[in-house]
């Protein structure tokens, strides 16, 4: 991606459950500069941590994917 001048897609799978709130905020602030970040989590709403403005929040459960009520 760097050689082509493109930003990578950041894929973070349940990383916030392994971190305390301070480090979670640091991670969210670090990934906020990327154009595409896919974040999975078992708790909602971790996106309130840091400077992230989500463009979409989905809930996955029982084989279905649906928008999370009250989320962007």
């Amino acid at each position: 991606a760097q050689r082509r001048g493109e930003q990578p897609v950041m894929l973070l799978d349940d990383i916030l459950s392994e971190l305390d709130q301070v480090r979670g905020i640091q991670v969210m602030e670090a990934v906020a500069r990327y154009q595409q970040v896919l974040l999975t989590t078992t708790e909602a709403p971790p996106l309130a941590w840091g400077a992230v403005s989500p463009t979409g929040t989905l809930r996955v459960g029982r084989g279905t994917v649906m928008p999370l009520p009250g989320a962007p």
Side-chain angles (χ1 to χ4, degrees):
Q2 190 174 24
R3 285 187 281 175
R4 292 183 280 176
E6 298 175 358
Q7 285 194 0
V9 175
M10 298 295 295
L11 193 58
L12 304 174
D13 184 22
D14 200 25
I15 189 171
L16 298 177
S17 68
E18 303 297 325
L19 303 173
D20 61 29
Q21 187 172 2
V22 171
R23 287 182 176 84
I25 290 169
Q26 291 171 341
V27 167
M28 297 302 282
E29 288 173 347
V31 301
R33 67 177 191 220
Y34 292 94
Q35 293 177 357
Q36 294 185 65
V37 178
L38 301 173
L39 172 72
T40 66
T41 183
T42 57
E43 297 180 25
L47 298 176
W49 294 358
V52 174
S53 297
T55 57
T57 305
L58 304 172
R59 179 184 179 117
V60 179
R62 298 183 182 183
T64 61
V65 179
M66 62 195 103
L68 189 64

